[in-house]
PDB file of all heavy atoms in Angstrom:
ATOM      1  N   TYR E  24     -79.326 -43.419  -8.115  1.00 98.00           N
ATOM      2  CA  TYR E  24     -78.463 -43.460  -6.935  1.00 98.00           C
ATOM      3  C   TYR E  24     -79.216 -43.670  -5.625  1.00 98.00           C
ATOM      4  O   TYR E  24     -78.601 -44.036  -4.615  1.00 98.00           O
ATOM      5  CB  TYR E  24     -77.606 -42.193  -6.869  1.00 98.00           C
ATOM      6  CG  TYR E  24     -76.822 -41.975  -8.146  1.00 98.00           C
ATOM      7  CD1 TYR E  24     -76.981 -40.824  -8.907  1.00 98.00           C
ATOM      8  CD2 TYR E  24     -75.930 -42.949  -8.609  1.00 98.00           C
ATOM      9  CE1 TYR E  24     -76.280 -40.639 -10.086  1.00 98.00           C
ATOM     10  CE2 TYR E  24     -75.221 -42.769  -9.795  1.00 98.00           C
ATOM     11  CZ  TYR E  24     -75.400 -41.612 -10.528  1.00 98.00           C
ATOM     12  OH  TYR E  24     -74.708 -41.432 -11.695  1.00 98.00           O
ATOM     13  N   GLY E  25     -80.513 -43.435  -5.605  1.00 98.00           N
ATOM     14  CA  GLY E  25     -81.330 -43.724  -4.431  1.00 98.00           C
ATOM     15  C   GLY E  25     -81.023 -42.895  -3.194  1.00 98.00           C
ATOM     16  O   GLY E  25     -81.402 -43.279  -2.089  1.00 98.00           O
ATOM     17  N   ILE E  26     -80.349 -41.771  -3.360  1.00 98.00           N
ATOM     18  CA  ILE E  26     -80.031 -40.919  -2.211  1.00 98.00           C
ATOM     19  C   ILE E  26     -81.151 -39.894  -2.046  1.00 98.00           C
ATOM     20  O   ILE E  26     -81.308 -38.994  -2.876  1.00 98.00           O
ATOM     21  CB  ILE E  26     -78.663 -40.224  -2.385  1.00 98.00           C
ATOM     22  CG1 ILE E  26     -77.560 -41.279  -2.491  1.00 98.00           C
ATOM     23  CG2 ILE E  26     -78.393 -39.267  -1.225  1.00 98.00           C
ATOM     24  CD1 ILE E  26     -76.187 -40.728  -2.831  1.00 98.00           C
ATOM     25  N   THR E  27     -81.942 -40.069  -0.985  1.00 98.00           N
ATOM     26  CA  THR E  27     -83.093 -39.191  -0.767  1.00 98.00           C
ATOM     27  C   THR E  27     -83.063 -38.513   0.597  1.00 98.00           C
ATOM     28  O   THR E  27     -83.941 -37.715   0.911  1.00 98.00           O
ATOM     29  CB  THR E  27     -84.408 -39.977  -0.909  1.00 98.00           C
ATOM     30  OG1 THR E  27     -84.414 -41.044   0.046  1.00 98.00           O
ATOM     31  CG2 THR E  27     -84.570 -40.540  -2.316  1.00 98.00           C
ATOM     32  N   GLU E  28     -82.061 -38.823   1.404  1.00 98.00           N
ATOM     33  CA  GLU E  28     -81.890 -38.210   2.723  1.00 98.00           C
ATOM     34  C   GLU E  28     -80.437 -37.789   2.867  1.00 98.00           C
ATOM     35  O   GLU E  28     -79.562 -38.297   2.183  1.00 98.00           O
ATOM     36  CB  GLU E  28     -82.263 -39.185   3.845  1.00 98.00           C
ATOM     37  CG  GLU E  28     -83.704 -39.671   3.812  1.00 98.00           C
ATOM     38  CD  GLU E  28     -84.721 -38.589   4.116  1.00 98.00           C
ATOM     39  OE1 GLU E  28     -84.397 -37.634   4.866  1.00 98.00           O
ATOM     40  OE2 GLU E  28     -85.852 -38.689   3.599  1.00 98.00           O
ATOM     41  N   GLY E  29     -80.174 -36.877   3.799  1.00 98.00           N
ATOM     42  CA  GLY E  29     -78.810 -36.415   4.036  1.00 98.00           C
ATOM     43  C   GLY E  29     -78.600 -35.033   3.454  1.00 98.00           C
ATOM     44  O   GLY E  29     -79.545 -34.257   3.290  1.00 98.00           O
ATOM     45  N   ILE E  30     -77.355 -34.752   3.117  1.00 98.00           N
ATOM     46  CA  ILE E  30     -76.965 -33.421   2.647  1.00 98.00           C
ATOM     47  C   ILE E  30     -76.638 -33.469   1.162  1.00 98.00           C
ATOM     48  O   ILE E  30     -75.889 -34.333   0.696  1.00 98.00           O
ATOM     49  CB  ILE E  30     -75.748 -32.904   3.449  1.00 98.00           C
ATOM     50  CG1 ILE E  30     -76.173 -32.625   4.891  1.00 98.00           C
ATOM     51  CG2 ILE E  30     -75.153 -31.659   2.807  1.00 98.00           C
ATOM     52  CD1 ILE E  30     -75.038 -32.262   5.814  1.00 98.00           C
ATOM     53  N   CYS E  31     -77.212 -32.499   0.426  1.00 98.00           N
ATOM     54  CA  CYS E  31     -76.953 -32.371  -1.003  1.00 98.00           C
ATOM     55  C   CYS E  31     -76.400 -30.982  -1.299  1.00 98.00           C
ATOM     56  O   CYS E  31     -76.954 -29.978  -0.851  1.00 98.00           O
ATOM     57  CB  CYS E  31     -78.239 -32.589  -1.799  1.00 98.00           C
ATOM     58  SG  CYS E  31     -78.044 -32.347  -3.584  1.00 98.00           S
ATOM     59  N   LEU E  32     -75.325 -30.920  -2.052  1.00 98.00           N
ATOM     60  CA  LEU E  32     -74.775 -29.656  -2.533  1.00 98.00           C
ATOM     61  C   LEU E  32     -75.136 -29.505  -4.007  1.00 98.00           C
ATOM     62  O   LEU E  32     -74.904 -30.423  -4.800  1.00 98.00           O
ATOM     63  CB  LEU E  32     -73.247 -29.627  -2.405  1.00 98.00           C
ATOM     64  CG  LEU E  32     -72.607 -29.995  -1.068  1.00 98.00           C
ATOM     65  CD1 LEU E  32     -71.091 -29.818  -1.162  1.00 98.00           C
ATOM     66  CD2 LEU E  32     -73.186 -29.181   0.061  1.00 98.00           C
ATOM     67  N   ASP E  33     -75.710 -28.359  -4.368  1.00 98.00           N
ATOM     68  CA  ASP E  33     -75.952 -28.010  -5.768  1.00 98.00           C
ATOM     69  C   ASP E  33     -74.952 -26.905  -6.105  1.00 98.00           C
ATOM     70  O   ASP E  33     -75.139 -25.743  -5.747  1.00 98.00           O
ATOM     71  CB  ASP E  33     -77.394 -27.547  -5.961  1.00 98.00           C
ATOM     72  CG  ASP E  33     -77.702 -27.147  -7.411  1.00 98.00           C
ATOM     73  OD1 ASP E  33     -76.836 -27.324  -8.281  1.00 98.00           O
ATOM     74  OD2 ASP E  33     -78.817 -26.651  -7.656  1.00 98.00           O
ATOM     75  N   ILE E  34     -73.870 -27.300  -6.763  1.00 98.00           N
ATOM     76  CA  ILE E  34     -72.738 -26.396  -7.002  1.00 98.00           C
ATOM     77  C   ILE E  34     -72.913 -25.669  -8.335  1.00 98.00           C
ATOM     78  O   ILE E  34     -73.233 -26.282  -9.351  1.00 98.00           O
ATOM     79  CB  ILE E  34     -71.414 -27.180  -6.963  1.00 98.00           C
ATOM     80  CG1 ILE E  34     -71.193 -27.691  -5.537  1.00 98.00           C
ATOM     81  CG2 ILE E  34     -70.249 -26.319  -7.438  1.00 98.00           C
ATOM     82  CD1 ILE E  34     -69.976 -28.536  -5.358  1.00 98.00           C
ATOM     83  N   GLY E  35     -72.667 -24.354  -8.309  1.00 97.00           N
ATOM     84  CA  GLY E  35     -72.905 -23.527  -9.486  1.00 97.00           C
ATOM     85  C   GLY E  35     -74.401 -23.502  -9.760  1.00 97.00           C
ATOM     86  O   GLY E  35     -74.858 -23.625 -10.879  1.00 97.00           O
ATOM     87  N   THR E  36     -75.158 -23.323  -8.700  1.00 97.00           N
ATOM     88  CA  THR E  36     -76.608 -23.505  -8.731  1.00 97.00           C
ATOM     89  C   THR E  36     -77.342 -22.552  -9.658  1.00 97.00           C
ATOM     90  O   THR E  36     -78.415 -22.877 -10.142  1.00 97.00           O
ATOM     91  CB  THR E  36     -77.182 -23.413  -7.297  1.00 97.00           C
ATOM     92  OG1 THR E  36     -78.530 -23.832  -7.297  1.00 97.00           O
ATOM     93  CG2 THR E  36     -77.069 -22.009  -6.727  1.00 97.00           C
ATOM     94  N   GLY E  37     -76.758 -21.374  -9.933  1.00 95.00           N
ATOM     95  CA  GLY E  37     -77.497 -20.408 -10.739  1.00 95.00           C
ATOM     96  C   GLY E  37     -78.821 -20.108 -10.049  1.00 95.00           C
ATOM     97  O   GLY E  37     -78.857 -19.855  -8.841  1.00 95.00           O
ATOM     98  N   PRO E  38     -79.937 -20.184 -10.774  1.00 95.00           N
ATOM     99  CA  PRO E  38     -81.245 -19.923 -10.154  1.00 95.00           C
ATOM    100  C   PRO E  38     -81.754 -21.055  -9.262  1.00 95.00           C
ATOM    101  O   PRO E  38     -82.856 -20.978  -8.748  1.00 95.00           O
ATOM    102  CB  PRO E  38     -82.177 -19.734 -11.356  1.00 95.00           C
ATOM    103  CG  PRO E  38     -81.290 -19.521 -12.534  1.00 95.00           C
ATOM    104  CD  PRO E  38     -80.032 -20.257 -12.240  1.00 95.00           C
ATOM    105  N   GLY E  39     -80.977 -22.130  -9.113  1.00 96.00           N
ATOM    106  CA  GLY E  39     -81.322 -23.188  -8.171  1.00 96.00           C
ATOM    107  C   GLY E  39     -82.199 -24.292  -8.715  1.00 96.00           C
ATOM    108  O   GLY E  39     -82.701 -25.122  -7.955  1.00 96.00           O
ATOM    109  N   TYR E  40     -82.374 -24.370 -10.015  1.00 95.00           N
ATOM    110  CA  TYR E  40     -83.378 -25.267 -10.577  1.00 95.00           C
ATOM    111  C   TYR E  40     -83.139 -26.753 -10.298  1.00 95.00           C
ATOM    112  O   TYR E  40     -84.080 -27.476  -9.970  1.00 95.00           O
ATOM    113  CB  TYR E  40     -83.525 -25.042 -12.084  1.00 95.00           C
ATOM    114  CG  TYR E  40     -84.044 -23.672 -12.449  1.00 95.00           C
ATOM    115  CD1 TYR E  40     -83.580 -23.010 -13.577  1.00 95.00           C
ATOM    116  CD2 TYR E  40     -85.006 -23.028 -11.673  1.00 95.00           C
ATOM    117  CE1 TYR E  40     -84.058 -21.753 -13.927  1.00 95.00           C
ATOM    118  CE2 TYR E  40     -85.481 -21.770 -12.007  1.00 95.00           C
ATOM    119  CZ  TYR E  40     -85.004 -21.141 -13.138  1.00 95.00           C
ATOM    120  OH  TYR E  40     -85.472 -19.897 -13.468  1.00 95.00           O
ATOM    121  N   VAL E  41     -81.914 -27.245 -10.455  1.00 97.00           N
ATOM    122  CA  VAL E  41     -81.670 -28.672 -10.202  1.00 97.00           C
ATOM    123  C   VAL E  41     -81.898 -28.992  -8.726  1.00 97.00           C
ATOM    124  O   VAL E  41     -82.569 -29.970  -8.387  1.00 97.00           O
ATOM    125  CB  VAL E  41     -80.254 -29.096 -10.654  1.00 97.00           C
ATOM    126  CG1 VAL E  41     -79.969 -30.532 -10.240  1.00 97.00           C
ATOM    127  CG2 VAL E  41     -80.106 -28.960 -12.162  1.00 97.00           C
ATOM    128  N   GLY E  42     -81.365 -28.146  -7.846  1.00 98.00           N
ATOM    129  CA  GLY E  42     -81.544 -28.362  -6.413  1.00 98.00           C
ATOM    130  C   GLY E  42     -83.008 -28.314  -5.999  1.00 98.00           C
ATOM    131  O   GLY E  42     -83.459 -29.116  -5.173  1.00 98.00           O
ATOM    132  N   ILE E  43     -83.755 -27.393  -6.571  1.00 98.00           N
ATOM    133  CA  ILE E  43     -85.181 -27.283  -6.261  1.00 98.00           C
ATOM    134  C   ILE E  43     -85.908 -28.564  -6.669  1.00 98.00           C
ATOM    135  O   ILE E  43     -86.716 -29.108  -5.904  1.00 98.00           O
ATOM    136  CB  ILE E  43     -85.804 -26.050  -6.952  1.00 98.00           C
ATOM    137  CG1 ILE E  43     -85.349 -24.772  -6.255  1.00 98.00           C
ATOM    138  CG2 ILE E  43     -87.329 -26.146  -6.980  1.00 98.00           C
ATOM    139  CD1 ILE E  43     -85.680 -23.491  -7.005  1.00 98.00           C
ATOM    140  N   GLU E  44     -85.620 -29.046  -7.867  1.00 98.00           N
ATOM    141  CA  GLU E  44     -86.302 -30.254  -8.340  1.00 98.00           C
ATOM    142  C   GLU E  44     -85.926 -31.472  -7.493  1.00 98.00           C
ATOM    143  O   GLU E  44     -86.777 -32.326  -7.232  1.00 98.00           O
ATOM    144  CB  GLU E  44     -86.012 -30.495  -9.820  1.00 98.00           C
ATOM    145  CG  GLU E  44     -86.562 -29.413 -10.741  1.00 98.00           C
ATOM    146  CD  GLU E  44     -88.074 -29.218 -10.644  1.00 98.00           C
ATOM    147  OE1 GLU E  44     -88.800 -30.183 -10.310  1.00 98.00           O
ATOM    148  OE2 GLU E  44     -88.540 -28.092 -10.914  1.00 98.00           O
ATOM    149  N   LEU E  45     -84.693 -31.554  -7.044  1.00 98.00           N
ATOM    150  CA  LEU E  45     -84.296 -32.642  -6.140  1.00 98.00           C
ATOM    151  C   LEU E  45     -85.015 -32.517  -4.802  1.00 98.00           C
ATOM    152  O   LEU E  45     -85.483 -33.513  -4.244  1.00 98.00           O
ATOM    153  CB  LEU E  45     -82.780 -32.637  -5.922  1.00 98.00           C
ATOM    154  CG  LEU E  45     -81.957 -33.370  -6.967  1.00 98.00           C
ATOM    155  CD1 LEU E  45     -80.483 -33.031  -6.816  1.00 98.00           C
ATOM    156  CD2 LEU E  45     -82.174 -34.871  -6.894  1.00 98.00           C
ATOM    157  N   ALA E  46     -85.103 -31.296  -4.292  1.00 98.00           N
ATOM    158  CA  ALA E  46     -85.772 -31.077  -3.003  1.00 98.00           C
ATOM    159  C   ALA E  46     -87.244 -31.467  -3.064  1.00 98.00           C
ATOM    160  O   ALA E  46     -87.794 -31.993  -2.093  1.00 98.00           O
ATOM    161  CB  ALA E  46     -85.622 -29.616  -2.577  1.00 98.00           C
ATOM    162  N   LYS E  47     -87.886 -31.243  -4.197  1.00 97.00           N
ATOM    163  CA  LYS E  47     -89.311 -31.562  -4.338  1.00 97.00           C
ATOM    164  C   LYS E  47     -89.600 -33.051  -4.165  1.00 97.00           C
ATOM    165  O   LYS E  47     -90.694 -33.417  -3.745  1.00 97.00           O
ATOM    166  CB  LYS E  47     -89.821 -31.116  -5.720  1.00 97.00           C
ATOM    167  CG  LYS E  47     -90.000 -29.628  -5.874  1.00 97.00           C
ATOM    168  CD  LYS E  47     -90.466 -29.333  -7.299  1.00 97.00           C
ATOM    169  CE  LYS E  47     -90.643 -27.842  -7.545  1.00 97.00           C
ATOM    170  NZ  LYS E  47     -91.029 -27.571  -8.952  1.00 97.00           N
ATOM    171  N   ILE E  48     -88.620 -33.912  -4.509  1.00 98.00           N
ATOM    172  CA  ILE E  48     -88.891 -35.352  -4.509  1.00 98.00           C
ATOM    173  C   ILE E  48     -88.048 -36.118  -3.479  1.00 98.00           C
ATOM    174  O   ILE E  48     -88.017 -37.348  -3.503  1.00 98.00           O
ATOM    175  CB  ILE E  48     -88.702 -35.959  -5.925  1.00 98.00           C
ATOM    176  CG1 ILE E  48     -87.286 -35.720  -6.463  1.00 98.00           C
ATOM    177  CG2 ILE E  48     -89.745 -35.387  -6.882  1.00 98.00           C
ATOM    178  CD1 ILE E  48     -86.986 -36.432  -7.785  1.00 98.00           C
ATOM    179  N   THR E  49     -87.363 -35.384  -2.595  1.00 98.00           N
ATOM    180  CA  THR E  49     -86.540 -36.032  -1.562  1.00 98.00           C
ATOM    181  C   THR E  49     -86.689 -35.283  -0.243  1.00 98.00           C
ATOM    182  O   THR E  49     -87.296 -34.216  -0.184  1.00 98.00           O
ATOM    183  CB  THR E  49     -85.043 -36.021  -1.941  1.00 98.00           C
ATOM    184  OG1 THR E  49     -84.561 -34.664  -1.880  1.00 98.00           O
ATOM    185  CG2 THR E  49     -84.783 -36.621  -3.318  1.00 98.00           C
ATOM    186  N   GLY E  50     -86.051 -35.837   0.777  1.00 98.00           N
ATOM    187  CA  GLY E  50     -85.946 -35.152   2.059  1.00 98.00           C
ATOM    188  C   GLY E  50     -84.562 -34.568   2.276  1.00 98.00           C
ATOM    189  O   GLY E  50     -84.161 -34.307   3.408  1.00 98.00           O
ATOM    190  N   LEU E  51     -83.811 -34.368   1.207  1.00 98.00           N
ATOM    191  CA  LEU E  51     -82.438 -33.875   1.306  1.00 98.00           C
ATOM    192  C   LEU E  51     -82.378 -32.460   1.883  1.00 98.00           C
ATOM    193  O   LEU E  51     -83.209 -31.611   1.572  1.00 98.00           O
ATOM    194  CB  LEU E  51     -81.776 -33.877  -0.073  1.00 98.00           C
ATOM    195  CG  LEU E  51     -81.429 -35.254  -0.649  1.00 98.00           C
ATOM    196  CD1 LEU E  51     -81.202 -35.171  -2.150  1.00 98.00           C
ATOM    197  CD2 LEU E  51     -80.204 -35.843   0.060  1.00 98.00           C
ATOM    198  N   GLU E  52     -81.365 -32.235   2.709  1.00 98.00           N
ATOM    199  CA  GLU E  52     -81.034 -30.885   3.169  1.00 98.00           C
ATOM    200  C   GLU E  52     -80.188 -30.255   2.070  1.00 98.00           C
ATOM    201  O   GLU E  52     -79.125 -30.780   1.725  1.00 98.00           O
ATOM    202  CB  GLU E  52     -80.270 -30.950   4.487  1.00 98.00           C
ATOM    203  CG  GLU E  52     -79.924 -29.597   5.061  1.00 98.00           C
ATOM    204  CD  GLU E  52     -79.307 -29.683   6.448  1.00 98.00           C
ATOM    205  OE1 GLU E  52     -79.268 -30.784   7.037  1.00 98.00           O
ATOM    206  OE2 GLU E  52     -78.853 -28.637   6.937  1.00 98.00           O
ATOM    207  N   MET E  53     -80.669 -29.151   1.511  1.00 98.00           N
ATOM    208  CA  MET E  53     -80.067 -28.597   0.303  1.00 98.00           C
ATOM    209  C   MET E  53     -79.132 -27.427   0.599  1.00 98.00           C
ATOM    210  O   MET E  53     -79.492 -26.518   1.353  1.00 98.00           O
ATOM    211  CB  MET E  53     -81.160 -28.114  -0.653  1.00 98.00           C
ATOM    212  CG  MET E  53     -82.118 -29.188  -1.142  1.00 98.00           C
ATOM    213  SD  MET E  53     -81.333 -30.541  -2.049  1.00 98.00           S
ATOM    214  CE  MET E  53     -80.460 -29.643  -3.325  1.00 98.00           C
ATOM    215  N   TYR E  54     -77.977 -27.453  -0.047  1.00 98.00           N
ATOM    216  CA  TYR E  54     -77.041 -26.329  -0.034  1.00 98.00           C
ATOM    217  C   TYR E  54     -76.928 -25.833  -1.468  1.00 98.00           C
ATOM    218  O   TYR E  54     -76.445 -26.548  -2.347  1.00 98.00           O
ATOM    219  CB  TYR E  54     -75.666 -26.762   0.471  1.00 98.00           C
ATOM    220  CG  TYR E  54     -75.594 -26.930   1.969  1.00 98.00           C
ATOM    221  CD1 TYR E  54     -76.141 -28.058   2.576  1.00 98.00           C
ATOM    222  CD2 TYR E  54     -74.986 -25.972   2.766  1.00 98.00           C
ATOM    223  CE1 TYR E  54     -76.084 -28.219   3.956  1.00 98.00           C
ATOM    224  CE2 TYR E  54     -74.922 -26.131   4.146  1.00 98.00           C
ATOM    225  CZ  TYR E  54     -75.475 -27.249   4.726  1.00 98.00           C
ATOM    226  OH  TYR E  54     -75.415 -27.403   6.091  1.00 98.00           O
ATOM    227  N   PHE E  55     -77.421 -24.621  -1.692  1.00 98.00           N
ATOM    228  CA  PHE E  55     -77.334 -23.981  -2.999  1.00 98.00           C
ATOM    229  C   PHE E  55     -76.060 -23.139  -2.992  1.00 98.00           C
ATOM    230  O   PHE E  55     -75.929 -22.210  -2.193  1.00 98.00           O
ATOM    231  CB  PHE E  55     -78.569 -23.113  -3.242  1.00 98.00           C
ATOM    232  CG  PHE E  55     -79.858 -23.903  -3.271  1.00 98.00           C
ATOM    233  CD1 PHE E  55     -80.563 -24.153  -2.101  1.00 98.00           C
ATOM    234  CD2 PHE E  55     -80.353 -24.401  -4.460  1.00 98.00           C
ATOM    235  CE1 PHE E  55     -81.750 -24.878  -2.120  1.00 98.00           C
ATOM    236  CE2 PHE E  55     -81.543 -25.126  -4.501  1.00 98.00           C
ATOM    237  CZ  PHE E  55     -82.239 -25.377  -3.318  1.00 98.00           C
TER     238      PHE E  55
END
Side-chain angles (χ1 to χ4, degrees):
Y24 305 121
I26 299 173
T27 59
E28 299 292 331
I30 292 173
C31 176
L32 309 183
D33 179 5
I34 294 177
T36 191
Y40 296 144
V41 174
I43 287 169
E44 295 302 332
L45 275 167
K47 286 178 181 177
I48 58 173
T49 69
L51 288 162
E52 182 173 353
M53 299 300 305
Y54 283 77
F55 298 88

